[in-house]
């Protein structure tokens, strides 16, 4: 990967890029297979003008856990003490897909002072009520934007997260959501836990 691409990826996480720029970066990266994804991954979201930008910053999102191709936890959160727990994405998206709630959450993320970040653990009780011990997704290899790469398919939602390799321990993901979000992708970066 070129230093220019690394700079663009960093920009995705800080000041942001357009959807078009994000897809250009994504398309330029190397594909990965299912085995590459097995393990724990710590995530952070990117800014690309998607309606969900900022949503994970108000949640205590940690990342994803890939146990096997049949057992994936798509949403791993942490509590105030740093203890990890898995959340049922169907319950989270029930809130996000509610238009009024979505507007309130979007307003909250826009009002957050970048110097004094929102304490996501204020919502621990809400998210812990969505806790699950059952994996809620599977791992497959699919053709996306012309290339075959690893993807996480949610069990109960019309969502696929597609992954590309930045380096051996870092990937970029794009959430492809059927329906109201159109052709926009929700981008995130994940680092492998050692």
């Amino acid at each position: 990967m070129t230093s220019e691409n690394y700079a663009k990826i960093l920009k995705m996480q800080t000041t942001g890029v357009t959807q078009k720029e994000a897809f250009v970066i994504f398309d330029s990266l190397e594909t990965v297979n299912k085995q590459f994804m097995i393990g724990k991954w710590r995530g952070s979201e990117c800014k690309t003008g998607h309606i969900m930008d900022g949503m994970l910053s108000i949640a205590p999102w940690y990342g994803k856990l890939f146990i096997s191709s049949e057992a994936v936890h798509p949403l791993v959160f942490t509590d105030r003490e740093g203890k990890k727990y898995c959340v049922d994405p169907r319950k989270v998206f029930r809130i996000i897909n509610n238009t009024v709630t979505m507007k309130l959450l979007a307003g909250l993320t826009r009002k957050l002072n970048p110097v004094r970040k929102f304490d996501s653990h204020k919502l621990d009780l809400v998210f812990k009520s969505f806790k699950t011990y059952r994996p809620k997704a599977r791992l497959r290899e699919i053709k996306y934007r012309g290339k075959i790469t690893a993807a996480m398919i949610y069990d109960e939602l019309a969502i696929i997260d597609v992954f590309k390799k930045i380096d051996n321990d870092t990937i970029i993901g794009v959430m492809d959501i059927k329906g109201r979000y159109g052709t926009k992708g929700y981008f995130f970066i994940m680092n492998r836990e050692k």
Side-chain angles (χ1 to χ4, degrees), residues 14-34:
T14 54
T15 58
V17 298
T18 66
Q19 282 278 309
K20 184 177 180 179
E21 290 171 311
F23 275 114
V24 167
I25 294 166
F26 183 84
D27 291 343
S28 73
L29 297 172
E30 184 181 340
T31 61
V32 295
N33 61 29
K34 292 185 296 183

Side-chain angles (χ1 to χ4, degrees), residues 77-94:
F77 287 4
T78 57
D79 63 18
R80 191 172 295 283
E81 288 75 41
K83 186 175 178 182
K84 296 176 187 73
Y85 60 98
C86 299
V87 172
D88 185 339
R90 184 178 48 87
K91 293 178 180 176
V92 172
F93 272 88
R94 192 177 300 147

Side-chain angles (χ1 to χ4, degrees), residues 4 15 30 32 35 72 99-100 108 114 116 124 132-135 138 147 153 164 167:
E4 182 181 336
T15 58
E30 184 181 340
V32 295
Q35 191 58 38
V72 178
T99 306
V100 174
L108 177 61
R116 191 168 161 239
D124 277 353
T132 184
Y133 295 97
R134 291 185 168 179
R138 297 174 296 152
K147 294 183 180 176
I153 301 170
K164 292 276 196 87
D167 61 39

Side-chain angles (χ1 to χ4, degrees), residues 32-34 37 39 41 61 63-76 87 89 93 135-142 149-155 157-164 171 173-177 188 190:
V32 295
N33 61 29
K34 292 185 296 183
M37 296 303 300
W41 294 81
W61 184 54
K64 300 181 184 295
L65 172 60
F66 299 88
I67 300 166
S68 71
S69 62
E70 294 302 314
V72 178
H73 289 283
L75 289 177
V76 180
V87 172
F93 272 88
K136 294 293 182 177
R138 297 174 296 152
L139 191 56
R140 295 292 185 265
E141 291 172 14
I142 67 166
T149 194
M152 185 187 76
I153 301 170
Y154 289 74
D155 291 342
L157 296 168
I159 301 174
I160 300 172
D161 289 353
V162 186
F163 308 109
K164 292 276 196 87
I171 59 104
V174 60
M175 182 181 281
D176 184 293
I177 307 170
F188 54 92
M190 293 197 306

